[in-house]
Amino acid sequence: LFGDSTFVAAGDNGTVLTSSDGITWTSRTSGTTNNLYGGAYYNYGGYRSILLVGSSGKTLYFTDNYTSLTAWAAPSMTTNLFGFVRGGSTWVYVGSSGTIYTAGDTSEDVTARTSGTTESLRRVFYVGE
């Protein structure tokens, strides 16, 4: 994953590494032992960040110039999350067993959606105007 001149690698047991050049890597404290499966860079309304998602609905985002991570938790998001995207003012998260959630900007604004499949969904994309 790359955004804002920062490479990010994420994986098992909450492992998160960052690099400015792809050669030298720095370990970051993620605050979780959950596996991290996906991530994305976004720039919306001047707010830039890198977000990561993982097992049991774990969602993390970078703060402090990509040096620390903060958890964002929605109580209703409990399944493994593999991908997400923001389109307009809506977040869409996808995961295991056909899971789809839509969300606004708060953890209370999360809705489970019916996907029509029990297969895991790995990625979701937004094609803007």
Side-chain angles (χ1 to χ4, degrees), residues 14-19 26-31 62 65-69:
T15 300
V16 177
L17 308 171
T18 61
S19 174
T26 302
S27 180
R28 301 295 179 191
T29 301
S30 68
F62 272 94
N65 200 27
Y66 303 103
T67 59
S68 62
L69 287 153

Side-chain angles (χ1 to χ4, degrees), residues 92-118:
V92 176
Y93 296 83
V94 297
S96 59
S97 303
T99 297
I100 297 177
Y101 294 108
T102 58
D105 288 327
T106 69
S107 61
E108 295 82 27
D109 188 18
V110 174
T111 303
R113 304 297 179 177
T114 302
S115 69
T117 185
T118 58

Side-chain angles (χ1 to χ4, degrees), residues 1 8-12 14-17 25 35-39 52-53:
L1 163 64
V8 177
D12 290 348
T15 300
V16 177
L17 308 171
W25 293 84
N35 294 336
L36 299 170
Y37 300 124
L52 305 170
V53 293

